[in-house]
Amino acid sequence: LIFRYEARDVRGQIPAPPSVEQTIMSGAQELGIPKDSFDIFDRYGKIETAEDLQRAIHMAGTSDCVIQVKEHEHYRRLRGVESRHDDVDMRLDSIEKRLRTNNDSLSERLEAARVEAAAATKKVADQISQEVMKNISELFSSRNQLQKDQRIIEEKLSQIDVAELQRISNQTVALRDEVRDAVRKVNAMQESWPKEKARLEEMCVETQKDLYDLQQYFQGKLDVCISADADLRREQQLVGERMALIADDVRLVRKAHDNLEKRCSLALEENDELRTLVGSLHEDAEHLKSEHGQVRTRVCVLEGSAEERWKGFCPGVLYFRNWHRLA
């Protein structure tokens, strides 16, 4: 087994029989971390049971079985806090050393000031005392500034995120691989550029030849279009003349139509008069029918009496003295 923890690879023995607990204990012993502070994974996921461990060993085949060790989030944070705490302790020790050296130098200056004050005049002593007080105030201000700097450093150290730095480093590795792929692609493009350039030049020559042929073809089509345009104009002129003749014919037909409409209106008026005349004729015919019936009845009566008095009389036969001029 190879336990891969962060940037380290540590070898271990495969327990017999395969056991997840024995594997975790072996990894903790080899890596020097608590056994409850991490989980083990293979490329298919988390290893929780003996079957998962057997699967990882079986999939590795004859090569080494790589087990990914992923530490729990809170343990990672505790380690980060411990490392930051050690850095802060080192910085505090250096600051205390600087403060002790500043105190030693301050005592030496005070002693020298006392010696000079005893030997000098009152004016010089006043000046020295003023300078010493000024230096003391500066030292106190510098001490306060150091304390402020210490607090600022502690706040900045508490804001540092180790996980973010790890993520940035992983992104850097990925970007490096991408840059390598990009450089490889650019090199491949540079190698294939002469062939592509030659092929493009051939295509340009063929395209120019096709353009020349197309220009000749369009020139012929333009000549045909020009001649066709002249024919179309001539036909358009003929069509215009024909349309003028048709317009004249339409005017004549319209006049004839107006005359016919007038004649039709007169015929309709005559038809109304004829209809009135037919009505009167119909009434006269009805009147004649009624009169004819009466006459026929009277004739039948006369024929009956005539048959009795006239021997050889035939009813329904009209007897005239001269019914025709040639009879």
Side-chain angles (χ1 to χ4, degrees):
L1 291 177
I2 294 179
F3 296 97
R4 182 164 293 170
Y5 175 65
E6 293 181 351
R8 291 189 297 164
D9 290 342
V10 179
R11 291 184 175 273
Q13 296 296 327
I14 299 175
S19 174
V20 177
E21 295 181 357
Q22 293 295 328
T23 303
I24 291 174
M25 291 179 65
S26 176
Q29 185 177 1
E30 295 293 337
L31 295 172
I33 58 177
K35 66 176 182 178
D36 296 329
S37 64
F38 63 91
D39 293 324
I40 56 177
F41 294 81
D42 64 348
R43 59 180 176 177
Y44 299 103
K46 184 178 179 181
I47 298 174
E48 296 180 348
T49 61
E51 288 78 6
D52 297 336
L53 182 59
Q54 290 177 358
R55 178 198 64 201
I57 295 170
H58 177 71
M59 296 304 295
T62 58
S63 60
D64 295 333
C65 180
V66 179
I67 300 297
Q68 186 73 29
V69 177
K70 294 184 179 180
E71 197 172 9
H72 296 162
E73 183 67 23
H74 55 279
Y75 279 100
R76 282 206 306 270
R77 292 185 178 180
L78 285 173
R79 283 197 300 106
V81 170
E82 289 177 357
S83 62
R84 290 196 295 269
H85 187 269
D86 294 337
D87 294 337
V88 170
D89 289 338
M90 293 175 62
R91 290 177 181 274
L92 287 174
D93 291 337
S94 63
I95 291 170
E96 288 178 354
K97 288 180 182 179
R98 290 175 63 185
L99 288 174
R100 284 196 296 271
T101 55
N102 288 331
N103 290 329
D104 294 338
S105 64
L106 180 60
S107 61
E108 290 176 359
R109 289 182 183 180
L110 288 173
E111 187 65 28
R114 288 173 185 172
V115 172
E116 290 178 358
T121 61
K122 184 177 180 180
K123 183 177 180 180
V124 175
D126 294 335
Q127 292 179 356
I128 291 173
S129 62
Q130 291 177 359
E131 292 178 358
V132 170
M133 293 300 294
K134 183 177 180 181
N135 290 328
I136 289 172
S137 63
E138 290 178 356
L139 287 173
F140 277 112
S141 63
S142 63
R143 183 179 179 182
N144 294 329
Q145 186 65 31
L146 286 174
Q147 291 177 354
K148 290 181 181 179
D149 294 338
Q150 182 180 354
R151 287 194 296 272
I152 292 169
I153 290 168
E154 290 177 355
E155 291 177 356
K156 289 183 177 180
L157 289 175
S158 63
Q159 293 176 358
I160 294 174
D161 191 358
V162 179
E164 184 68 19
L165 293 176
Q166 185 67 25
R167 187 178 65 81
I168 292 171
S169 64
N170 294 331
Q171 290 180 356
T172 304
V173 173
L175 289 173
R176 183 184 62 188
D177 296 336
E178 291 179 359
V179 169
R180 287 178 179 175
D181 293 337
V183 170
R184 181 176 54 79
K185 291 178 181 179
V186 170
N187 293 330
M189 290 175 65
Q190 289 180 354
E191 290 176 359
S192 62
W193 168 245
K195 296 179 181 179
E196 294 293 333
K197 184 178 180 181
R199 189 169 64 85
L200 288 174
E201 288 178 354
E202 292 178 358
M203 290 175 65
C204 289
V205 172
E206 293 178 357
T207 305
Q208 289 179 356
K209 187 183 295 183
D210 294 338
L211 286 174
Y212 179 75
D213 296 337
L214 186 63
Q215 184 179 3
Q216 295 296 324
Y217 174 76
F218 275 111
Q219 186 66 35
K221 291 294 182 181
L222 286 173
D223 295 337
V224 172
C225 289
I226 290 169
S227 61
D229 183 60
D231 295 336
L232 286 174
R233 286 184 180 178
R234 184 171 59 257
E235 290 180 0
Q236 185 177 5
Q237 186 176 1
L238 294 174
V239 169
E241 293 176 356
R242 290 176 183 175
M243 291 299 294
L245 293 173
I246 291 170
D248 295 334
D249 295 337
V250 168
R251 283 196 298 272
L252 295 174
V253 170
R254 187 173 294 173
K255 289 180 181 179
H257 180 267
D258 293 337
N259 294 327
L260 183 60
E261 185 177 3
K262 290 178 181 180
R263 292 175 65 185
C264 288
S265 62
L266 294 173
L268 289 173
E269 292 176 357
E270 292 178 356
N271 187 19
D272 293 336
E273 293 178 356
L274 290 172
R275 188 175 296 171
T276 305
L277 181 60
V278 168
S280 61
L281 289 174
H282 184 68
E283 291 176 357
D284 294 338
E286 292 293 333
H287 180 67
L288 287 173
K289 283 182 180 180
S290 61
E291 293 292 333
H292 178 266
Q294 294 176 1
V295 172
R296 183 177 181 184
T297 303
R298 292 176 64 187
V299 167
C300 289
V301 173
L302 291 173
E303 286 177 354
S305 60
E307 188 176 5
E308 293 176 354
R309 296 181 179 181
W310 189 0
K311 186 178 181 180
F313 180 78
C314 293
V317 177
L318 297 178
Y319 294 93
F320 300 95
R321 292 180 179 178
N322 189 9
W323 58 275
H324 193 270
R325 63 184 180 86
L326 297 179

